[in-house]
Amino acid sequence: HLNNATSAQINQEIENIVKLINLTGDNAEFIFYYAGHGFPDERSKTPYLIPVDVSTSYLNNAISLDDLYLKFSNTKAKKVMIFIDACFSGGARESSLLVSRGVKVNPKINNVSKNLVVFTATSKNQSALPFKQQHHGMFTFYLLKKLKETNGDVKLGELFDYVKRNVQKSSILFNKSEQTPNVIFSPAIENKWKNWSVY
């Protein structure tokens, strides 16, 4: 668990996780959760996680989602579940990081292969918005609510349907804006991921 982590801290933890997964072998099941800022490269449309010590004007030390997915896909893990409460269109929780330049980017998602499924807080060029009354991101609030109600004994398909439905409704009610969570998965698990248990 890392709070307000730097680029070096996040990269080191990712490397440690990859090593642990490979040591565990093909029975390893892994959950990666990130809440914070995301940002796209405006030319390549590659999405990045933005650690606290990285500027959006200089993405060299940002965490490429393509690289992250590739590292996890290349492990021997049986299941990799990724939950990301961020947006990658240039939007942020409180205001758009790109709004002053009038730019919105629809990020490209690559390297989702093998046993990898990704829940994201938004679709296309939407912003990941806060649920101010609950002091959480809207996506995180409903994700945690369902996990708490079920003690984690929930299938991914049911979890995604719940989170998507409630985020869509609450975002319009409380933020007067559309937010639609998305799921991305490897073609190899197209008919399997919905029946995966979180715990």
Side-chain angles (χ1 to χ4, degrees):
H1 177 264
L2 295 175
N3 237 356
N4 296 321
T6 65
S7 176
Q9 288 173 320
I10 294 174
N11 277 308
Q12 183 61 59
E13 198 64 26
I14 289 168
E15 293 304 320
N16 287 339
I17 289 165
V18 167
K19 288 175 186 175
L20 283 172
I21 292 172
N22 285 329
L23 286 170
T24 305
D26 57 11
N27 284 321
E29 296 184 11
F30 171 64
I31 295 174
F32 177 90
Y33 168 82
Y34 173 86
H37 290 300
F39 201 79
D41 181 291
E42 291 177 51
R43 290 186 179 178
S44 70
K45 298 185 180 180
T46 299
Y48 288 87
L49 306 181
I50 306 297
V52 296
D53 61 338
V54 172
S55 166
T56 55
S57 60
Y58 186 73
L59 294 174
N60 283 27
N61 292 322
I63 311 296
S64 163
L65 268 192
D66 285 354
D67 291 347
L68 182 75
Y69 294 161
L70 185 61
K71 284 177 183 177
F72 290 154
S73 292
N74 285 339
T75 66
K76 301 172 185 175
K78 181 179 178 183
K79 297 177 185 175
V80 177
M81 294 167 272
I82 298 176
F83 302 94
I84 298 181
D85 193 351
C87 57
F88 300 94
S89 62
R93 285 201 201 287
E94 303 302 330
S95 62
S96 174
L97 297 172
L98 286 174
V99 74
S100 62
R101 285 177 281 163
V103 176
K104 274 290 192 179
V105 177
N106 191 6
K108 291 193 301 187
I109 306 296
N110 299 311
N111 295 332
V112 177
S113 60
K114 290 191 177 177
N115 291 330
L116 198 87
V117 61
V118 182
F119 283 21
T120 62
T122 64
S123 298
K124 297 183 180 177
N125 59 1
Q126 297 173 337
S127 294
L129 299 167
F131 199 166
K132 290 179 182 176
Q133 293 87 337
Q134 302 295 338
H135 309 289
H136 269 301
M138 189 76 70
F139 173 83
T140 293
F141 174 77
Y142 285 111
L143 178 67
L144 294 178
K145 187 172 189 291
K146 187 64 172 177
L147 291 176
K148 185 175 181 181
E149 287 174 356
T150 60
N151 290 317
D153 186 15
V154 61
K155 305 289 187 188
L156 283 187
E158 180 187 348
L159 177 61
F160 178 71
D161 289 345
Y162 173 87
V163 171
K164 180 180 177 181
R165 181 175 63 252
N166 283 283
V167 168
Q168 284 179 310
K169 288 179 183 176
S170 294
S171 187
I172 291 170
L173 282 171
F174 294 101
N175 291 323
K176 313 300 182 199
S177 182
E178 290 187 17
Q179 180 179 339
T180 303
N182 192 26
V183 62
I184 307 155
F185 49 84
S186 158
I189 58 168
E190 182 175 1
N191 300 316
K192 298 178 183 177
W193 72 267
K194 287 185 179 180
N195 290 318
W196 284 5
S197 295
V198 177
Y199 296 126

